Amino acid sequence: QGHDANEVGDMNLSFLTVVAVAGMASGFTGQGAFTRTNYPLFGSASSTALNAELEAILFDCDGVLADTERDGHRPAFNQAFEENKLDLVWDVERYGVLLEVGGGKERMTAHWNEVGWPESIPEGEGRQAKVKELHLRKTDIFMDLIDAGKIPLRAGVLRIVDDAIAAGVRLAVCSTSNEKAVSNLVKTLMGAERASKFQIYAGDMVKKKKPAPDVYNMAVDTMGLDKDRCVIVEDSHIGLGAAMAAGISCIVTKSSYTANEDFTGASKIVEDLGDDAATGVTLDTLTSLLKQTA
């Protein structure tokens, strides 16, 4: 049914009042200050009242922050193998298959369990120690690649991170990769100031790696988060499985190795976050994915 002009005017005024109050509440720190001094209430999408609902963004690292698997970790593994005189080169296709296994040490173990172990890594107590040694060397090589600027951030990552920081949305990286490598990637590619806003949960901090939900549950518990107000950013069905097992909404940004994977159950699937806020993923996009509670 229609409404007369006075009714419409009253409705518009009420709506603007609600939005204004909600927007102020979302920027209020509880200590007499507002966190969004550079984000006008009715400005960009990143400053709308909806953001009061979004508490944290939990990023995977490899394939999400940067497309590191094919052009970072894989050549780093190969260099570590060469330095240790191991007759092994993981080509793009083989490494893609091995990515079904979460974790670098686990990936090497799975490969050699399948094809046979090198004579230089005999069975016994020293086998896993050698695998750990190889992985540590691989990590150092990988960090050299990061430091050299060989691996850029994916589109839209810095934009979303900056919008989240300005809006008071908390940030974490939850990864199966080595903690030192993840921290170095974030600091080197984003800068120390942005890196200081991140909590890092990575490597062997948990007993079970993705697709188990442990790393996400650790982040939620340690940071004191509400799962219904968090969104996970993943790029693989293994990561999506971890997010779903944790009971947290998940947006998938496809990466070079995962474009054709099955992402059934994802809250949203995109090619990337997008550098342009007008067409890419925004904080409002993420807010719209939050689980609805009764």
Side-chain angles (χ1 to χ4, degrees):
Q1 296 180 351
H3 299 278
D4 63 31
N6 289 333
E7 287 178 314
V8 172
D10 291 341
M11 290 166 63
N12 288 341
L13 180 59
S14 298
F15 171 77
L16 291 174
T17 301
V18 169
V19 171
V21 171
M24 291 172 67
S26 69
F28 189 61
T29 64
Q31 299 177 337
F34 291 90
T35 60
R36 294 193 209 156
T37 55
N38 295 323
Y39 282 70
L41 183 59
F42 295 103
S44 68
S46 62
S47 62
T48 66
L50 286 174
N51 291 338
E53 303 294 331
L54 181 61
E55 184 179 20
I57 305 171
L58 311 179
F59 292 92
D60 178 38
C61 181
D62 299 308
V64 169
L65 298 181
D67 207 345
T68 53
E69 294 290 10
R70 184 185 63 190
D71 301 323
H73 289 292
R74 185 185 64 85
F77 272 115
N78 287 336
Q79 183 176 330
F81 297 152
E82 182 180 3
E83 290 176 0
N84 282 268
K85 296 180 171 54
L86 296 171
D87 185 19
L88 175 60
V89 175
W90 282 342
D91 61 21
V92 171
E93 183 178 1
R94 176 59 178 167
Y95 193 70
V97 172
L98 290 170
L99 285 176
E100 293 293 324
V101 180
K105 295 185 293 293
E106 294 82 357
R107 205 164 290 148
M108 285 186 282
T109 300
H111 171 80
W112 282 316
N113 281 343
E114 178 184 338
V115 305
W117 285 79
E119 292 183 2
S120 60
I121 311 179
E123 189 174 359
E125 294 181 1
R127 175 168 284 182
Q128 286 307 310
K130 183 61 177 179
V131 168
K132 184 176 181 180
E133 176 190 324
L134 283 167
H135 190 256
L136 288 172
R137 177 58 186 144
K138 187 276 299 185
T139 297
D140 287 340
I141 297 166
F142 174 76
M143 289 197 295
D144 288 342
L145 292 173
I146 296 295
D147 290 339
K150 298 290 182 67
I151 307 170
L153 286 171
R154 290 193 65 188
V157 169
L158 275 188
R159 177 179 59 78
I160 286 289
V161 167
D162 286 343
D163 283 353
I165 292 171
V169 176
R170 300 174 72 186
L171 299 167
V173 178
C174 301
S175 171
T176 59
S177 289
N178 178 279
E179 186 275 336
K180 185 167 64 170
V182 174
S183 297
N184 185 60
L185 184 148
V186 172
K187 184 175 180 180
T188 302
L189 299 186
M190 296 191 194
E193 186 174 353
R194 291 186 184 95
S196 69
K197 305 295 184 182
F198 278 87
Q199 300 295 315
I200 306 293
Y201 302 93
D204 298 319
M205 289 184 176
V206 292
K207 291 183 178 180
K208 295 182 180 179
K209 295 185 177 182
K210 300 173 186 178
D214 299 29
V215 70
Y216 286 120
N217 287 335
M218 171 179 274
V220 167
D221 293 343
T222 305
M223 296 172 70
L225 303 173
D226 178 354
K227 286 186 176 182
D228 291 334
R229 295 176 60 198
C230 298
V231 173
I232 288 170
V233 186
E234 274 285 358
D235 75 305
S236 69
H237 74 275
I238 289 179
L240 172 61
M244 293 175 64
I248 301 174
S249 298
C250 180
I251 181 171
V252 170
T253 59
K254 296 179 182 180
S255 63
S256 59
Y257 271 121
T258 68
N260 297 318
E261 291 185 358
D262 180 5
F263 297 120
T264 301
S267 304
K268 189 176 181 67
I269 304 168
V270 296
E271 296 299 320
D272 54 45
L273 296 174
D275 284 327
D276 186 354
T279 56
V281 173
T282 65
L283 294 189
D284 278 358
T285 308
L286 301 182
T287 299
S288 72
L289 306 179
L290 295 178
K291 293 184 179 295
Q292 298 300 313
T293 55

